[in-house]
Amino acid sequence: MAGDVVLISGGARGIGEALARAHRERGDTVVVADLHPTADDQLQLDVRDPDAFRAVAERVVAEHGRIDVFHDNAGIAVAGTMPEMTRQHWDDLIDIDLRGVVHGVDAVYPLMRAQGFGHIVVMGSLAGILPVPSMVPYSAVKSAVVTMSRALRVEARRHGVKVTVVCPAFVETPLLDHINPGMRRTRANRVGLRLVRQLQGPPMDPDALARIVLTALPRNPETVLAPRPLAQLAVLGERLVPGVVRWASGLAVERYLTMSDKDRADA
């Protein structure tokens, strides 16, 4: 068996699919678990079910002997101003993007502790470091994910387990085309992608992000920011001149609230 044994939640599409592709190109053994598998060798997993997550992790160890790298990746995107949010926006986001991440840690971390090694890679977001208006629930949940990962990193290292949180800006994935899945639609469903392109430029290519992550992991960084230099400059601005960042965020909210459907057609 060549390379690492890698488990990826939410690995059938988007960033997870790109991570799986990059690991396989490196010669790793990859197990993909997803709510909607797209191949026969992928495992079905609802990350909201802690028992199902534990069963998947234990199956990987039973079949492959260990888990070297776990990408705690599955998630959804929720966007819109607070008046547009419903209880379902909050509940679904917390259940998948926060509790789902915790369920992954609960399933894999004890196995890695027992084997004495492993790397947990949590998919956070730049929105978890920079407060993003018009994405208040998403920013709040990702902030919790970032903090959890950083705190777990300190605890886990005494057991030989590494923890890294990945914080990208917007990435070109199906999430951008399926904002607020199964929920009441918001203006973000009509104009969100156009606004992203105005603020960031083209969303980041997921394969480029996967390459950045795999290149960084041997160095065991606490946080991986992408893309360069946009993410690094944004975080530096948040630390040094938060007032300027809030001013710029306010302009983005005004743009969001006044953007017309014609802008969407031009996207």
Side-chain angles (χ1 to χ4, degrees), residues 115-127:
Q115 66 192 21
F117 60 87
H119 204 147
I120 296 173
V121 185
V122 178
M123 187 54 61
S125 171
L126 195 59

Side-chain angles (χ1 to χ4, degrees), residues 226-238:
R228 298 173 181 268
L230 173 68
Q232 286 79 0
L233 290 174
V235 171
L236 184 63
E238 173 68 16

Side-chain angles (χ1 to χ4, degrees), residues 11 20 44 60 70 73 104 142 178 214 223 247 249:
Q44 200 280 333
V60 174
F70 167 48
N73 168 76
K142 288 299 186 180
H178 298 89
L214 266 63
T223 308
W247 172 79
S249 297

Side-chain angles (χ1 to χ4, degrees), residues 26-114:
R26 198 176 67 170
D28 296 333
T29 298
V30 179
V31 179
V32 166
D34 199 282
L35 181 61
H36 301 292
T38 58
D40 292 340
D41 62 346
Q42 297 176 359
L43 305 180
Q44 200 280 333
L45 172 64
D46 185 342
V47 298
R48 295 170 294 185
D49 184 342
D51 294 331
F53 220 141
R54 191 173 300 110
V56 165
E58 291 173 353
R59 176 175 172 177
V60 174
V61 173
E63 293 182 359
H64 301 286
R66 65 189 192 274
I67 300 174
D68 295 294
V69 180
F70 167 48
H71 290 280
D72 207 350
N73 168 76
I76 61 173
V78 168
T81 57
M82 280 298 289
E84 296 177 288
M85 295 292 99
T86 66
R87 180 174 294 180
Q88 184 186 5
H89 286 88
W90 281 96
D91 288 347
D92 286 2
L93 186 67
I94 290 171
D95 284 345
I96 297 171
D97 285 32
L98 180 54
R99 287 195 179 97
V101 170
V102 173
H103 295 161
V105 170
D106 282 346
V108 175
Y109 180 47
L111 300 175
M112 288 186 170
R113 283 186 58 179

